[in-house]
Amino acid sequence: MNRGTFFCIDGHTCGNPVRLVTSAHPPLRGQSMSAKRQHFLQHYDWIRQALMFEPRGHDMMSGAFLYPPTTADGDAGILFIETSGCLPMCGHGTIGALTFALENGLLTPQDPHRVRLDTPAGRVDAHVRRSGDKVDAIKLYNVPAFLAFEQLTIEVPELGALSVDISFGGNFYIIVEPQANFAGIEHCNASFLLRYSPLIRDIVNAQVECIHPQDPTMRGASHVLWTGQPKHASSDAANAVFYGDKAIDRSPCGTGTSARMAQLYAQGRLPIGQAFVHESYIGSQFIGCIEAVTEIAGRTAIIPSIEGWARVTGHNSIVVDDDDPYAFGFQVL
């Protein structure tokens, strides 16, 4: 039998949901968060499905568990759960989970203004801006990001030919910029993005193999990042990120912003040290920056930073009992 009660703090990061699970952590094996992620997927994925899918969640639901660190100098480890699976890294999820944990006294880092976080994708440093007990914003220094494939031409049914780039920012992103058969996100509605994103993702993954050179468990182009003109004069660019089966990120997407900056740097369109204000589909903003240039397995990469904020919306006690025919959730596609 699979059953239990999961206490959660619910909220959002710049509009996209975050559910920090604060109890009933499954015992995970492995010396790294990457290994623990694989153990969770093999033995405890029912927890993710129960907490993320309907009727306890929804298509955009995203969450996290905090664990003890897996490194000697770390403050915490994190496991991401969402409708699309267990991501190696999630920017908005990190900002939300750390905000909720710090404000509720669930995490005491060595430095109150810095959290050294072990993620499945690697070390992420979070710099915390506080006003007393309130967390105003968190700036993440993310894992190295790089452009993986450039100007890949694909043929999309009913839409026609598209040229796309694929970039890694913690996950692999298919980046679609305005061109002949796509005018930009300001000219299309959510139905358009939901219709064509799964097709594009399947076509791309059939043509190229996206595998991180240092960790083969990070593989496959999982997200589609559509670009266009921003709503606000203070934004430098806008995006709409598709993930899962039918989700559009309400936040500007932290790993997506990292991937976008890596693409722009590789193409000579964004210099080191310049602020990059990235806007979401609903108009919320992250502040990105290329902090430094590094190398991943002989490939040029960047160290990206992303700054954003999160707010708590409530505290939740979720019961999962396999006597319930919908204990492990469902989706209506």
Side-chain angles (χ1 to χ4, degrees):
M1 293 188 296
N2 294 316
R3 57 180 61 180
T5 300
F6 297 85
F7 295 101
C8 308
I9 302 173
D10 283 355
H12 69 93
T13 300
C14 292
N16 213 48
V18 180
R19 172 169 285 166
L20 175 63
V21 189
T22 63
S23 71
H25 293 52
L28 300 181
R29 298 175 186 168
Q31 297 302 307
S32 67
M33 289 310 300
S34 178
K36 291 179 185 295
R37 170 178 173 247
Q38 296 305 310
H39 187 238
F40 180 93
L41 286 168
Q42 292 168 13
H43 299 283
Y44 297 104
D45 200 43
W46 65 268
I47 297 175
R48 176 188 68 84
Q49 295 174 43
L51 298 182
M52 298 291 104
F53 292 152
E54 295 182 66
R56 299 165 190 83
H58 50 75
D59 290 316
M60 270 60 64
M61 183 56 75
S62 177
F65 286 90
L66 288 179
Y67 277 89
T70 56
T71 57
D73 64 339
D75 292 304
I78 191 167
L79 177 80
F80 303 105
I81 55 175
E82 63 170 50
T83 52
S84 65
C86 291
L87 296 179
M89 175 56 192
C90 179
H92 98 275
T94 300
I95 292 170
L98 291 184
T99 296
F100 307 162
L102 291 168
E103 289 185 344
N104 285 271
L106 302 176
L107 175 63
T108 305
Q110 302 162 61
D111 180 339
H113 298 288
R114 180 185 178 191
V115 181
R116 299 170 178 88
L117 191 66
D118 298 326
T119 82
R123 167 59 61 83
V124 170
D125 270 1
H127 290 218
V128 184
R129 183 152 48 87
R130 297 173 179 257
S131 296
D133 294 332
K134 188 77 173 176
V135 174
D136 297 319
I138 290 181
K139 183 176 183 179
L140 303 179
Y141 290 79
N142 197 12
V143 298
F146 57 88
L147 181 62
F149 296 93
E150 194 171 9
Q151 295 182 344
L152 178 69
T153 299
I154 60 174
E155 191 71 31
V156 183
E158 300 179 12
L159 193 58
L162 287 178
S163 177
V164 303
D165 296 335
I166 303 172
S167 191
F168 179 84
N171 307 288
F172 284 101
Y173 284 79
I174 302 163
I175 301 175
V176 188
E177 298 192 86
Q179 53 195 279
N181 291 321
F182 170 62
I185 58 173
E186 68 273 20
H187 298 292
C188 61
N189 57 26
S191 296
F192 175 95
L193 304 177
L194 293 171
R195 179 180 182 182
Y196 289 108
S197 294
L199 297 176
I200 290 171
R201 183 170 58 190
D202 289 345
I203 293 167
V204 166
N205 282 306
Q207 288 193 24
V208 297
E209 194 172 33
C210 299
I211 303 176
H212 194 282
Q214 294 180 333
D215 186 347
T217 67
M218 295 191 286
R219 59 194 307 132
S222 53
H223 296 60
V224 182
L225 190 156
W226 303 81
T227 74
Q229 292 298 312
K231 300 179 176 70
H232 303 302
S234 58
S235 298
D236 296 303
N239 82 124
V241 167
F242 173 88
Y243 64 96
D245 291 317
K246 54 176 182 176
I248 297 175
D249 200 328
R250 274 61 171 159
S251 84
C253 189
T255 55
T257 299
S258 300
R260 178 72 163 140
M261 290 193 294
Q263 175 218 23
L264 294 174
Y265 175 79
Q267 296 173 350
R269 294 191 280 164
L270 183 65
I272 299 171
Q274 179 175 303
F276 177 69
V277 181
H278 209 198
E279 185 179 286
S280 75
Y281 196 59
I282 66 169
S284 57
Q285 296 171 320
F286 281 165
I287 303 172
C289 184
I290 299 171
E291 300 291 340
V293 176
T294 185
E295 190 177 279
I296 294 291
R299 186 194 304 265
T300 299
I302 65 166
I303 302 298
S305 66
I306 315 100
E307 182 174 331
W309 53 267
R311 298 291 184 269
V312 173
T313 56
H315 294 250
N316 204 351
S317 177
I318 298 177
V319 175
V320 178
D321 190 328
D322 56 13
D323 286 340
D324 178 356
Y326 302 121
F328 310 119
F330 61 84
Q331 289 180 291
V332 179
L333 299 178

